[in-house]
Amino acid sequence: AQLREYVAIISAMYQDNPFHNFEHAGHVITSTAKLLSRITAPDIMPTDSENDSVDKQLPDHAYGITSDPLTQFACIFAALVHDVDHPGVPNSQLIKEKASIAIVYKDKSVAEQNSVDLAWDLLMGEGFTDLRRCIYQTDSEFKRFRQLVVNAIMATDIMDKDLKEFRNSRWERAFSGNQEEHSDEAANRKATIVIEHLIQASDVAH
């Protein structure tokens, strides 16, 4: 019931824009769910006798995404809220016009940061205690959920040059072949990149 209420309130917080509206959020959710379901290891083609060993390898090849419900929920949650209260114009225009939210967020990922703050403040409200308890139960899970959501939403800002350069350098570091393939740090970095690209693709999918 609290999840339904949260979605209903979020839907009302979307502005009636031609594109960045709640219908768009629905499209992004659908695409995100579809892409999450398609994360596989295509280079592994098991025979019947190899199924057990392949099942054990899949989490490594998917960087833990397919075996982590919290990560999957965070992706869907981010898709739901990523354009909350979007004014319908690019960040560059908000900055040019010196809009109040551009000033608040110091001309950096203005619409995205605004969406994060509004959605998060709502989730932290008294009416969603049980919902939060279903999402995370430890401080570690709370922090990981927060980080996943923020990273995913910020990834939808594809026009910020500094963010683009940072993502490119992280991609190079993760997939250059110089990293230890099975280290937790390397796997987490690769998972982050996969999630960012997944949400970016979903944002323009329809």
Side-chain angles (χ1 to χ4, degrees), residues 144-179:
R144 188 157 62 91
F145 176 66
R146 164 80 181 181
Q147 184 177 36
L148 285 164
V149 170
V150 171
N151 282 350
I153 296 176
M154 295 303 290
T156 63
D157 182 4
I158 59 175
M159 301 305 293
D160 187 289
K161 293 181 179 179
D162 293 336
L163 283 177
K164 185 176 185 299
E165 290 178 4
F166 173 71
R167 293 188 194 111
N168 287 344
S169 64
R170 186 167 56 190
W171 175 282
E172 180 64 25
R173 184 179 177 187
F175 294 105
S176 64
N178 297 326
Q179 287 288 322

Side-chain angles (χ1 to χ4, degrees), residues 17-140:
N17 300 315
F19 180 75
H20 296 98
N21 49 41
F22 189 64
E23 182 181 8
H24 165 65
H27 281 288
V28 178
I29 292 169
T30 302
S31 178
T32 299
K34 181 65 174 178
L35 291 177
L36 280 172
S37 74
R38 300 295 295 171
I39 295 178
T40 58
D43 54 328
I44 299 178
M45 300 298 290
T47 63
D48 289 340
S49 62
E50 295 174 333
N51 278 337
D52 289 341
S53 62
V54 169
D55 286 343
K56 293 177 182 177
Q57 295 178 57
L58 281 175
D60 290 336
H61 283 271
Y63 315 121
I65 296 172
T66 56
S67 60
D68 184 14
L70 181 63
T71 295
Q72 295 177 44
F73 182 81
C75 290
I76 300 298
F77 182 88
L80 169 69
V81 305
H82 80 284
D83 272 340
V84 162
D85 194 41
H86 196 291
V89 296
N91 287 331
S92 58
Q93 189 65 24
L94 295 172
I95 295 168
K96 181 180 179 180
E97 296 176 358
K98 301 186 186 300
S100 58
I101 59 172
I103 295 172
V104 168
Y105 296 113
K106 300 179 180 178
D107 298 344
K108 283 291 184 181
S109 301
V110 177
E112 293 77 14
Q113 290 200 71
N114 183 53
S115 295
V116 168
D117 283 348
L118 291 175
W120 194 259
D121 287 347
L122 178 63
L123 181 63
M124 294 299 112
E126 294 181 2
F128 300 106
T129 303
D130 295 328
L131 175 57
R132 293 195 301 272
R133 192 177 293 119
C134 287
I135 300 172
Y136 55 82
Q137 295 187 351
T138 67
D139 187 56
S140 175

